[in-house]
Amino acid sequence: QYPTEPPDCLVDFPVQFAISWMPQNSLIDIYNQFLAALESLKEFWDAMDEIDGKTWVLEPENPTRSATSRRIAIGNNVSVNVEVDPRHPNMLPECYFLGADHAVNPLRIKLNNNMHLWDPEISLLQNLKDVLEIDFPSRAVLEKSDFAKDCGICYAYRLDGTTPDQVCDDPRCGQPYHRACLYEWLQGLPSSRQSFNVIFGECPYCNKVRKSNENE
């Protein structure tokens, strides 16, 4: 339908690339709109590049330019998943902590108590450090294998593209699992009990009672 309709454009953007098009427009007009869109997303990509360069990103393993989330290692079997708004990259992102309760609860408390300290004038990564009162593990000191622990059930790190995101709450155990593996394991235990879509059963390693939500 060109030139009455614009050509299809495939871009690796975190937001929709909406073309303003009139029949008298040319491909150069699309190119200029593309450049303007690139410039509008520069702050977002700068923020994500700093995270990718200065922290251990567990997921996604090879982020595309359209990826808006990062799962960042904090410690052994402790991480935070941040979902960044590409239009407002320096605002407080959605944060979801993964790990044993004794390790992540203090981080949740710090986030709630320090939200008022968030300063959109400084970088996303520096804000996360200040609000959570932590220094993220450095690439210069540690290896990614320090955080990439295999699942205690399937003995693999990646399963269908996902990494272990469930951890036994017992500080003496702390064994990580894929959510799907743990859910299947607990379903097979005669002693497990289920309430709606949450199933309760024993950790395969230490026998501590734990729960798994299939859809959480």
Side-chain angles (χ1 to χ4, degrees):
Q1 301 297 318
Y2 179 83
T4 57
E5 294 182 10
D8 292 333
C9 297
L10 300 178
V11 297
D12 190 19
F13 281 2
V15 296
Q16 183 180 3
F17 179 46
I19 299 172
S20 176
W21 181 260
M22 298 292 286
Q24 63 268 28
N25 286 143
S26 68
L27 294 180
I28 292 178
D29 295 311
I30 292 181
Y31 177 67
N32 289 331
Q33 291 179 50
F34 175 74
L35 292 180
L38 281 179
E39 183 62 29
S40 72
L41 291 167
K42 183 179 183 301
E43 192 175 31
F44 165 75
W45 283 321
D46 285 347
M48 304 308 267
D49 287 346
E50 184 181 22
I51 288 175
D52 292 337
K54 295 183 178 179
T55 71
W56 280 119
V57 174
L58 302 179
E59 292 183 285
E61 189 172 21
N62 297 300
T64 63
R65 302 309 273 172
S66 60
T68 58
S69 66
R70 295 291 190 275
R71 181 180 168 196
I72 310 170
I74 295 177
N76 189 10
N77 298 327
V78 182
S79 58
V80 59
N81 193 82
V82 296
E83 181 69 36
V84 182
D85 182 348
R87 294 298 189 194
H88 306 284
N90 284 336
M91 300 303 289
L92 177 65
E94 293 183 29
C95 296
Y96 176 68
F97 296 99
L98 300 104
D101 286 344
H102 72 274
V104 301
N105 283 342
L107 294 170
R108 293 191 184 108
I109 292 171
K110 287 178 181 178
L111 177 63
N112 290 331
N113 290 344
N114 294 335
M115 278 184 180
H116 66 283
L117 299 177
W118 193 274
D119 182 358
E121 298 300 318
I122 63 176
S123 76
L124 172 66
L125 180 58
Q126 188 59 52
N127 267 311
L128 288 172
K129 291 179 179 180
D130 293 345
V131 170
L132 297 178
E133 300 177 11
I134 60 172
D135 280 323
F136 289 98
S138 168
R139 287 173 174 268
V141 177
L142 300 171
E143 299 293 333
K144 193 170 186 177
S145 58
D146 291 325
F147 314 107
K149 306 299 182 183
D150 292 343
C151 171
I153 295 173
C154 74
Y155 303 110
Y157 181 59
R158 293 198 177 273
L159 177 68
D160 297 330
T162 65
T163 60
D165 60 356
Q166 300 288 288
V167 180
C168 178
D169 286 334
D170 191 328
R172 296 167 296 181
C173 178
Q175 178 64 45
Y177 306 100
H178 296 112
R179 187 183 307 278
C181 294
L182 183 61
Y183 191 84
E184 184 177 348
W185 168 273
L186 295 178
Q187 274 189 317
L189 289 180
S191 58
S192 293
R193 57 186 177 86
Q194 189 159 353
S195 175
F196 298 100
N197 65 335
V198 180
I199 189 167
F200 299 82
E202 295 176 348
C203 169
Y205 273 64
C206 71
N207 297 326
K208 176 182 174 64
V209 174
R210 66 152 302 125
K211 66 180 180 179
S212 178
N213 185 332
E214 183 181 30
N215 301 313
E216 188 175 280

